[in-house]
Amino acid sequence: ANNEGWMATSTISGTGNYGACCNEMDLFEGNSISSDFAAHSCSSTVTGLYKCSGADCGTTASPYGGVCDPLGCEYNSYRNGATTFYGRSKTIDTTQKFTVVTQFITNTGTAAGTLTEIRRLWIQNGAIIQNVSLNVPGISTSNSITANYCAQKESAFGDAPSFENHGGFSTLSAALNTGMVLSLSLKDDPEGHFLWLDSNYPSTSPATQPGVARGTCPTSSGSLADLQVIGVESSVTFSNIRIGTLGSTTTVPHYGQCGGQTYT
């Protein structure tokens, strides 16, 4: 347990002398308001789960100076200008069941290749729905995560190039080839209150600034008190989890074996 040097920030959160770091692929982070999928890389010295301490964990003064990328290269449709795509009664209607499909594309088109692109598809009410294309000046039109998207997004939004500086697709690809552990959970965020997901973040910046608006939740939302009292009955169901080659994990219409790309 991380109890040496423990300094509590609440009854359920705090910091200690050590941290646990690893390459991370967020297949889906979301609620009924906003969602994203995000890639987090680590330096090549990190293989598997890594016990960090001090500067290796990243510090308040140097949050991106640790061995792993805390920011990630994420695709949030609302942040990317498509504000009517995901949410209650929107194209992806979060009042109904939906399926999230994540596709990992390599430079060779085989599982042995190096990761170059991460795609997102949605399935709802029996129909495949392509991920919405972004609408942000300075970022080429796309609907997936690539090295070019990450670099342009960082420039357009003023994000730190943390993903690339920790190895980017190269080290994430190596970690995926080694194998990752699937983790499913409901979670809270004692420090950021999930404003980075579904509100204006940083909360002190104007919502009109590119990259700040990420959803419609107020900047006062997401506190532990809200989640533990108002949201105490919250629940989620994850089911029918599958892994396989492109198009093999779900029933899809014609051309689905191509990932549904460019077909309707």
Side-chain angles (χ1 to χ4, degrees):
N2 190 21
N3 56 3
E4 292 185 22
W6 182 257
M7 297 181 64
T9 54
S10 76
T11 56
I12 62 170
S13 63
T15 58
N17 290 345
Y18 304 104
C21 308
C22 63
N23 286 275
E24 176 183 341
M25 180 62 221
D26 297 319
L27 302 176
F28 177 85
E29 296 178 299
N31 50 33
S32 65
I33 303 298
S34 295
S35 73
D36 73 20
F37 61 111
H40 297 263
S41 58
C42 294
S43 64
S44 58
T45 58
V46 175
T47 56
L49 189 62
Y50 179 85
K51 178 182 177 181
C52 69
S53 61
D56 275 358
C57 298
T59 63
T60 302
S62 180
Y64 310 121
V67 293
C68 290
D69 161 36
L71 185 62
C73 180
E74 100 294 341
Y75 196 106
N76 176 326
S77 59
Y78 195 102
R79 190 186 191 205
N80 285 342
T83 59
T84 63
F85 180 72
Y86 177 94
R88 298 166 185 164
S89 301
K90 296 184 179 182
T91 302
I92 302 300
D93 185 355
T94 56
T95 67
Q96 303 180 42
K97 293 180 180 180
F98 58 86
T99 298
V100 171
V101 181
T102 309
Q103 297 180 329
F104 299 93
I105 311 302
T106 69
N107 60 339
T108 62
T110 69
T114 299
L115 182 67
T116 58
E117 181 183 9
I118 306 168
R119 295 176 184 166
R120 164 55 37 87
L121 301 174
W122 308 82
I123 303 174
Q124 191 166 56
N125 296 323
I128 284 186
I129 303 172
Q130 296 295 318
N131 197 37
V132 67
S133 293
L134 57 84
N135 180 27
V136 178
I139 308 180
S140 301
T141 300
S142 67
N143 63 357
S144 63
I145 295 176
T146 63
N148 185 58
Y149 162 78
C150 295
Q152 291 185 345
K153 177 184 73 73
E154 289 156 0
S155 178
F157 293 159
D159 292 345
S162 179
F163 178 66
E164 292 90 339
N165 289 349
H166 289 86
F169 277 95
S170 177
T171 54
L172 180 62
S173 180
L176 286 167
N177 282 331
T178 300
M180 289 185 168
V181 175
L182 178 65
S183 174
L184 308 171
S185 68
L186 280 171
K187 63 180 182 178
D188 53 28
D189 180 7
E191 295 183 0
H193 296 179
F194 288 116
L195 301 184
W196 51 266
L197 175 70
D198 57 21
S199 186
N200 296 332
Y201 188 82
S203 59
T204 54
S205 298
T208 54
Q209 180 177 320
V212 171
R214 299 143 189 260
T216 58
C217 290
T219 55
S220 59
S221 65
S223 69
L224 287 179
D226 286 344
L227 294 176
Q228 293 175 4
V229 177
I230 300 173
V232 70
E233 298 297 331
S234 297
S235 65
V236 63
T237 300
F238 301 105
S239 62
N240 299 327
I241 299 170
R242 301 176 182 180
I243 185 171
T245 55
L246 296 184
S248 69
T249 60
T250 186
T251 302
V252 292
H254 196 38
Y255 301 117
Q257 72 274 13
C258 303
Q261 297 296 305
T262 72
Y263 292 95
T264 58

